[in-house]
C-alpha cells in the first residue's frame, strides 16, 4: 500500500507532536529533580547560589513589635528640683486672683461654681509665681495589661476625677472641677518625656502614669492628698492598674499612712520656721 502526499504529511505531523510531548515530559522530570536538590540543600544549611526566585530559600526571622518595657530609665524625674525646673521653664497659666473675702470652691467649703464664676467675672487672670517645691509625694499607677492605658479611656477616667489638661502638657486637679483655683495635685505620663499629646490622644497609650503633689502646695495638703489617692485608685480599678509608691513598691494602706505623716511633719517644720 503506497502512501500519498497527504498520508505522509499526517505521519510527519504525528512524529513532530510526539517529539514535542516527549521533550516536555523530559523537561518536567529534569525540573523536579532540580527543585528536590535545592530543597535538600536548604535542609542541611547549604547556600543557594542560583538566585532563582522560584526556589524556596532559607527561613527568615522577622522582628515583631514589642511593647515598651517600664524601665526605671524611662521614668521622668519626680524630684523637687526637677519639678521646680519645669515650673519655672514652662509658661504658666494665670490663676484666679481670689481674695480671702470671696467665695472660693475648696475641699472644705465647696460653693456653686457658676456663682463663684459670676462673682469673679470682672476680674482678670493674674500670673502667680509658685513657692519652690521642697518635697514631692508620688503615686504611680502601672498598667497590668501589656498594651498599657489607651488614650481615650485614660482621658475619660481622669476627666471624671476633675483633672484638666494644662501647663507643662500634663493634667492638673484644681480646687474647682471646672479647672479654677489653685492646683491640688498633677498627673504626668510615667514614660519619658512625661507629657501628653491631646492632638494624638486616639492613638496614644502608656504603660504607667504618675500622680504627684508638691509641698509646699495646696492650702490643705492632707485633703488634697486624699483626693489624689481617690483619683489614683479610681484609675487603677477601672483601667486594670496597680498602685505603686515613689520607690516602685506596691502601695499599701501603711504606705498611704506614711505619706500622710510626711505631710504632717512638713507642716510642723513650716510652722516652726515661721516662729
Amino acid at each position: 500500500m503506497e502512501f500519498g502526499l497527504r498520508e505522509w504529511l499526517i505521519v510527519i505531523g504525528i512524529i513532530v507532536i510526539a517529539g514535542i510531548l516527549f521533550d516536555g515530559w523530559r523537561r518536567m522530570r529534569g525540573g523536579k529533580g532540580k527543585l528536590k536538590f535545592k530543597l535538600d540543600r536548604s535542609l542541611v544549611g547549604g547556600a543557594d547560589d542560583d538566585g532563582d526566585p522560584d526556589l524556596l530559600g532559607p527561613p527568615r526571622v522577622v522582628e515583631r513589635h514589642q511593647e515598651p518595657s517600664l524601665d526605671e530609665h524611662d521614668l521622668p524625674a519626680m524630684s523637687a528640683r526637677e519639678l521646680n525646673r519645669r515650673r519655672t521653664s514652662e509658661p504658666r497659666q494665670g490663676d484666679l486672683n481670689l481674695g480671702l473675702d470671696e467665695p472660693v470652691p475648696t475641699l472644705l467649703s465647696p460653693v456653686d461654681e457658676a456663682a463663684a464664676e459670676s462673682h469673679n467675672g470682672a476680674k482678670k487672670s493674674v500670673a502667680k509665681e509658685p513657692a519652690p517645691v521642697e518635697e514631692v509625694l508620688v503615686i504611680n499607677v502601672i498598667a497590668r495589661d501589656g498594651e498599657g492605658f489607651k488614650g481615650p479611656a485614660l482621658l475619660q477616667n481622669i476627666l471624671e476625677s476633675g483633672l484638666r489638661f494644662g501647663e507643662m502638657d500634663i493634667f492638673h486637679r484644681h480646687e474647682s472641677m471646672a479647672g479654677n483655683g489653685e492646683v491640688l495635685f498633677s498627673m504626668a505620663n510615667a514614660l519619658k518625656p512625661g507629657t501628653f499629646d491631646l492632638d494624638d490622644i486616639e492613638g496614644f497609650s502608656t504603660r504607667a502614669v504618675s500622680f504627684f503633689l508638691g509641698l509646699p502646695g495646696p492650702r490643705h495638703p492632707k485633703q488634697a492628698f486624699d483626693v489624689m489617692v481617690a483619683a489614683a485608685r479610681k484609675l487603677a480599678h477601672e483601667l486594670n492598674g496597680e498602685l505603686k509608691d515613689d520607690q516602685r513598691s506596691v502601695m499599701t494602706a501603711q504606705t498611704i499612712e506614711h505619706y500622710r505623716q510626711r505631710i504632717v511633719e512638713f507642716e510642723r517644720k513650716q510652722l516652726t520656721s515661721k516662729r
Side-chain angles (χ1 to χ4, degrees), residues 178-195:
N180 299 329
E182 68 177 0
V183 172
L184 304 181
F185 60 88
S186 305
M187 189 198 77
N189 183 1
L191 297 181
K192 292 181 179 180
T195 58

Side-chain angles (χ1 to χ4, degrees), residues 122-173:
K123 291 187 174 292
K124 295 182 179 180
S125 297
V126 178
K128 183 180 179 181
E129 188 68 23
V133 174
E134 300 178 20
E135 190 170 354
V136 183
L137 305 178
V138 180
I139 300 178
N140 295 301
V141 185
I142 314 297
R144 298 179 187 273
D145 190 343
E147 295 183 355
F149 300 128
K150 298 295 184 180
L154 177 64
L155 180 61
Q156 178 179 351
N157 184 280
I158 59 178
L159 289 179
E160 291 173 354
S161 294
L163 283 87
R164 298 294 181 265
F165 188 74
E167 61 186 60
M168 297 187 289
D169 291 334
I170 61 177
F171 290 88
H172 308 275
R173 174 63 162 91

Side-chain angles (χ1 to χ4, degrees), residues 49-233:
D49 299 327
D50 200 357
D52 192 337
D54 295 330
L55 300 178
L56 298 179
R60 293 180 298 172
V61 178
V62 180
E63 294 186 359
R64 299 193 176 201
H65 174 72
Q66 298 181 354
E67 293 293 334
S69 59
L70 190 60
D71 189 272
E72 187 169 345
H73 298 290
D74 295 329
L75 298 172
M78 279 299 170
S79 64
R81 175 182 296 181
E82 176 64 16
L83 186 56
N84 286 324
R85 185 192 67 79
R86 293 191 182 192
R87 292 171 66 177
T88 55
S89 62
E90 294 287 340
R92 293 186 53 79
Q93 296 178 346
D95 294 332
L96 293 183
N97 186 24
L98 302 177
L100 296 179
D101 58 337
E102 298 171 343
V104 181
T106 67
L107 293 171
L108 299 181
S109 57
V111 298
D112 181 69
E113 293 178 4
E117 184 177 353
S118 176
H119 184 83
N120 298 284
K123 291 187 174 292
K124 295 182 179 180
S125 297
V126 178
K128 183 180 179 181
E129 188 68 23
V133 174
E134 300 178 20
E135 190 170 354
V136 183
L137 305 178
V138 180
I139 300 178
N140 295 301
V141 185
I142 314 297
R144 298 179 187 273
D145 190 343
E147 295 183 355
F149 300 128
K150 298 295 184 180
L154 177 64
L155 180 61
Q156 178 179 351
N157 184 280
I158 59 178
L159 289 179
E160 291 173 354
S161 294
L163 283 87
R164 298 294 181 265
F165 188 74
E167 61 186 60
M168 297 187 289
D169 291 334
I170 61 177
F171 290 88
H172 308 275
R173 174 63 162 91
H174 295 257
E175 285 183 312
S176 167
M177 291 284 285
N180 299 329
E182 68 177 0
V183 172
L184 304 181
F185 60 88
S186 305
M187 189 198 77
N189 183 1
L191 297 181
K192 292 181 179 180
T195 58
F196 299 92
D197 183 6
L198 289 188
D199 294 333
D200 189 33
I201 199 65
E202 290 293 331
F204 174 83
S205 67
T206 181
R207 294 292 303 279
V209 296
S210 296
F211 291 85
F212 62 95
L213 187 156
L215 298 174
R219 286 171 291 177
H220 307 289
K222 289 191 291 292
Q223 289 85 348
F225 175 73
D226 289 342
V227 176
M228 183 173 78
V229 171
R233 282 175 169 168

Side-chain angles (χ1 to χ4, degrees), residues 228-243:
M228 183 173 78
V229 171
R233 282 175 169 168
K234 180 178 183 296
L235 194 155
H237 174 71
E238 296 181 358
L239 300 186
N240 192 23
E242 183 178 18
L243 299 182

